[in-house]
Amino acid sequence: MSVRKDERNESAIEYLMKADTLYHEVIVVMAKFTSAYRDLIGKDITTTGMKLLSHCEAVHVLVSENNHTNKEQIQSELRKAKISLNTLNIQMRHCYEILISDFYNAYEDLKDENDLKKLARKAKKRLNKMGEQIGLLISEETCLLNNMIEKYK
């Protein structure tokens, strides 16, 4: 039996699932860039995404143990996850700004495009889509982590 959308509750591990989705999206996005950009900015961004996911995994393990003595550890991991998320947000903003200013060299599969106007349109469309997708996931994860932080104050 399905539940109406307005009656659904947030999953207890939604913060973890969203972090996993965000990490996956970051990897997919970074893999499409030219090797120069993957080397310059992609590695750091994917590492930050992995840190976020790792801290969320640690929170999940600590919460699953259902031991109230873990409250300080949970808070510590949540703070680290929030720092990683904020860092990821900044890195993705810088990535977008760098690539939008050099979109001709941003994507591996567009390097052979001869029509510069067409290349510019395609690259800008992809970059805007990336910004929207990752931005939305970061916003959602921010809310989820803030809820967890409130819960374990």
Side-chain angles (χ1 to χ4, degrees), residues 57-132:
E57 283 280 356
V59 169
H60 177 64
V61 168
L62 292 167
V63 168
S64 297
E65 290 175 356
N66 205 14
N67 183 348
H68 296 293
T69 60
N70 289 340
K71 188 175 181 180
E72 284 142 17
Q73 286 179 295
I74 292 169
Q75 290 171 343
S76 174
E77 289 298 329
L78 285 168
R79 281 191 300 276
K80 290 175 186 175
K82 189 78 186 280
I83 290 167
S84 294
L85 183 62
N86 290 339
T87 302
L88 182 63
N89 188 30
I90 292 166
Q91 288 174 320
M92 289 305 298
R93 184 171 43 84
H94 286 255
C95 173
Y96 177 83
E97 290 168 356
I98 290 166
L99 293 173
I100 204 75
S101 68
D102 188 27
F103 55 84
Y104 291 109
N105 298 308
Y107 290 100
E108 195 73 47
D109 65 329
L110 296 180
K111 286 177 102 175
D112 296 330
E113 181 67 58
N114 292 326
D115 183 350
L116 293 181
K117 286 184 180 181
K118 192 174 180 182
L119 183 145
R121 240 187 348 269
K122 285 181 180 180
K124 286 181 178 180
K125 184 178 178 181
R126 283 188 191 179
L127 287 167
N128 288 330
K129 184 178 177 184
M130 173 207 64
E132 289 173 15

Side-chain angles (χ1 to χ4, degrees), residues 29-44 99 102 104-111:
V29 165
M30 293 300 134
K32 294 177 182 176
F33 294 139
T34 59
S35 59
Y37 279 117
R38 278 195 310 268
D39 292 343
L40 287 171
I41 56 179
K43 289 178 183 178
D44 289 341
L99 293 173
D102 188 27
Y104 291 109
N105 298 308
Y107 290 100
E108 195 73 47
D109 65 329
L110 296 180
K111 286 177 102 175

